[in-house]
Amino acid sequence: MLEQMVSAEKEPNKSARLFARAQELIPGGVNSPVRAFRGVGGTPLFIESAQGPFITDVDGRRYIDYVGSWGPMILGHADPEIVAALQAVAAKGTSFGAPNQLEIELAEEITAAVPSIEMVRMVNSGTEATMSAIRLARGVTSRDKLIKFEGCYHGHADSLLVKAGSGVATLGLPDSPGVPASLAQHTLTVPFNDATAVEDVFKQHDDIAAVIVEPVVGNMGCVPPQEGFLQTLRVLTAQNGALLICDEVMTGFRVARGGAQALYDITPDITCLGKIIGGGLPVGAYGGSRELMRNIAPTGPIYQAGTLSGNPLAMTAGLITLRRLKDETVYAELERRSAQLCDGLSSIAADAGVKTITNRVGSMWTSFFTEAPVTNWETANRSDRELYGKFFHAMLDEGVYLAPSQFEAAFVSIAHTEEIIQQTLTAARNAFQALT
Ligand code: HOZ
């Protein structure tokens, strides 16, 4: 009630006014490009608060949120246990630039859940994690080349900003200016789910340090691996003396407690993590066998460092999140509710005569506005972006916040109850009807 009264007092279109102000000071008015709504048109919402499955904008409108801060909020927003713990920890100091016990505890949780990780180094973002993983792979193999997949996004480090997904795909940018051609030439790209293309590249190059892959792609929308694809990558990398890097920044503790590598039964050499392991605070991590990770400074010569790495706030939010995810019912329940949502969306779209393909792995999903299966960047890119934009805005009008781009995954949290899922489906029915 109080919230409604406060909302009523707010001036309308505060988001639009803040956006105009932000554009004077921040490139595009945003601190990360996809947020600018260029993929869907219109003005981005400025968010005032978030709670459970909801976000509330500065104009007092509340939305069911399927962005979930792009993945970390698997417990829902402002989880009371996390908020209380953060308050207590913050009172004891937010960063020491020196070791603390919480770093060990989070490392213990991660290594227990992901057997391929025996040692882990904390960083502050997914970009740092993948960038450092590549340096490690290049350092130990003494090779420079990488294989990455078209439409996969591994953060904005130079070597990885080649045929990248996410914001790069959303904005339709060619490979970014500022990345030296001499560096980009070391990154070889092939279509996702095309093991033969990977095999061919290995036949042509004997100096490949690593293959880096999002085992379930989230950054061209959700695209699952086809049967045997990841296993073939494992075999090919091992045969050719290259390392397999699984970028599980999005999938780690999301598609299963042990990540996509547990779900698809593969053992990468290096795993990159982020998002969920920070419980909504800035975090990243990379890890692998002890033998491999001992090459990192100070035990080895490969250098990587960070002032805020392992800070007690991020470690606390991550620890609570990972401990809560130990509850065996969590992933089964996420699966059940996500299936309910995605099956519902598919049938509602079909009833409305709108052609969609909904891809889903666990609580990660995307509805593409296309009729053919989406298995790689080429097929994702056939999706009707204009129609997605219309659907996005129709859902926004109905009180549901989806990713402002066709080429991003959506996420269900444990705060998305059955009632919330039903409300979303009712909204979708109205939104699809509005489209037709
Ligand atoms: N590229 C990020 C998702 N794949 C977007 C991050 C953000 O805008 O916050």
Side-chain angles (χ1 to χ4, degrees):
M1 180 58 115
L2 179 65
E3 188 183 297
Q4 278 168 3
M5 281 167 60
V6 171
S7 309
E9 282 167 18
K10 281 181 181 149
E11 293 173 83
N13 296 322
K14 203 171 166 193
S15 276
R17 286 192 288 112
L18 287 177
F19 189 47
R21 225 173 110 195
Q23 286 178 93
E24 294 299 315
L25 301 164
I26 303 169
V30 289
N31 280 313
S32 191
V34 183
R35 299 178 195 178
F37 273 34
R38 295 206 177 179
V40 291
T43 302
L45 305 182
F46 278 62
I47 304 305
E48 185 152 290
S49 64
Q51 184 68 60
F54 302 112
I55 52 169
T56 302
D57 71 13
V58 287
D59 289 306
R61 281 186 289 259
R62 196 175 78 162
Y63 303 86
I64 300 172
D65 176 28
Y66 287 98
V67 175
S69 190
W70 304 97
M73 312 314 301
I74 196 165
L75 302 183
H77 291 284
D79 176 80
E81 189 187 353
I82 292 184
V83 173
L86 287 177
Q87 283 166 343
V89 169
K92 297 202 280 180
T94 57
S95 179
F96 312 127
N100 66 79
Q101 184 173 327
L102 295 165
E103 297 168 291
I104 308 171
E105 290 178 26
L106 188 57
E108 281 167 352
E109 288 294 339
I110 291 171
T111 53
V114 187
S116 72
I117 304 180
E118 292 174 344
M119 263 189 182
V120 59
R121 169 61 64 84
M122 299 296 167
V123 291
N124 297 295
S125 69
T127 291
E128 274 186 63
T130 53
M131 184 181 78
S132 310
I134 280 166
R135 182 171 307 143
L136 174 58
R138 284 176 164 156
V140 297
T141 59
S142 302
R143 298 173 177 181
D144 289 339
K145 289 202 171 79
L146 302 171
I147 296 179
K148 85 170 273 293
F149 297 93
E150 291 164 10
C152 280
Y153 177 74
H154 306 285
H156 59 273
D158 283 350
S159 296
L160 295 167
L161 220 46
V162 181
K163 294 198 180 164
S166 189
V168 184
T170 303
L171 298 172
L173 296 174
D175 300 335
S176 178
V179 175
S182 55
L183 190 61
Q185 74 183 8
H186 294 305
T187 304
L188 310 167
T189 55
V190 290
F192 186 70
N193 273 327
D194 189 345
T196 310
V198 180
E199 200 172 353
D200 288 346
V201 174
F202 271 116
K203 279 184 193 148
Q204 289 156 24
H205 301 269
D206 60 3
D207 53 351
I208 291 167
V211 173
I212 183 163
V213 65
E214 288 184 87
V216 175
V217 187
N219 285 295
M220 51 177 131
C222 179
V223 181
Q226 287 173 337
E227 208 181 326
F229 174 64
L230 297 172
Q231 281 73 12
T232 307
L233 295 186
R234 179 62 287 184
V235 170
L236 288 173
T237 43
Q239 278 173 353
N240 290 280
L243 301 189
L244 179 61
I245 304 173
C246 271
D247 176 351
E248 297 232 42
V249 168
M250 230 180 241
T251 53
F253 293 89
R254 165 61 65 180
V255 295
R257 184 166 173 79
Q261 56 194 272
L263 201 61
Y264 297 102
D265 195 19
I266 46 155
T267 307
D269 298 295
I270 308 177
T271 300
C272 300
L273 295 168
K275 299 197 190 273
I276 288 175
I277 64 156
L281 274 79
V283 94
Y286 63 105
S289 67
R290 284 202 173 82
E291 192 192 348
L292 197 57
M293 292 302 288
R294 282 195 177 119
N295 289 291
I296 301 291
T299 37
I302 300 172
Y303 199 74
Q304 175 270 311
T307 298
L308 290 163
S309 300
N311 72 76
L313 288 178
M315 299 300 99
T316 296
L319 259 177
I320 291 174
T321 304
L322 298 200
R323 284 177 182 157
R324 289 266 290 284
L325 293 175
K326 274 181 181 161
D327 176 347
E328 279 169 15
T329 62
V330 166
Y331 289 100
E333 197 50 30
L334 280 171
E335 168 67 27
R336 199 177 64 77
R337 291 184 215 166
S338 306
Q340 199 180 358
L341 174 68
C342 291
D343 293 350
L345 287 172
S346 296
S347 70
I348 289 167
D351 289 350
V354 180
K355 299 208 174 347
T356 61
I357 296 283
T358 297
N359 282 351
R360 180 181 71 83
V361 177
S363 56
M364 205 174 141
W365 59 277
T366 300
S367 290
F368 292 93
F369 285 75
T370 183
E371 46 190 317
V374 176
T375 57
N376 55 23
W377 169 243
E378 196 201 324
T379 46
N381 195 28
R382 283 188 207 144
S383 189
D384 185 336
R385 294 182 218 190
E386 209 178 307
L387 201 52
Y388 179 82
K390 285 185 181 153
F391 179 66
F392 169 87
H393 281 289
M395 286 295 268
L396 213 52
D397 289 345
E398 293 290 328
V400 178
Y401 187 73
L402 299 172
S405 165
Q406 173 69 94
F407 304 124
E408 297 286 352
F411 302 96
V412 174
S413 79
I414 60 168
H416 290 77
T417 59
E418 244 179 90
E419 197 189 338
I420 293 287
I421 301 289
Q422 285 310 329
Q423 284 174 19
T424 308
L425 292 175
T426 303
R429 195 164 286 115
N430 295 338
F432 277 118
Q433 268 161 18
L435 289 190
T436 52

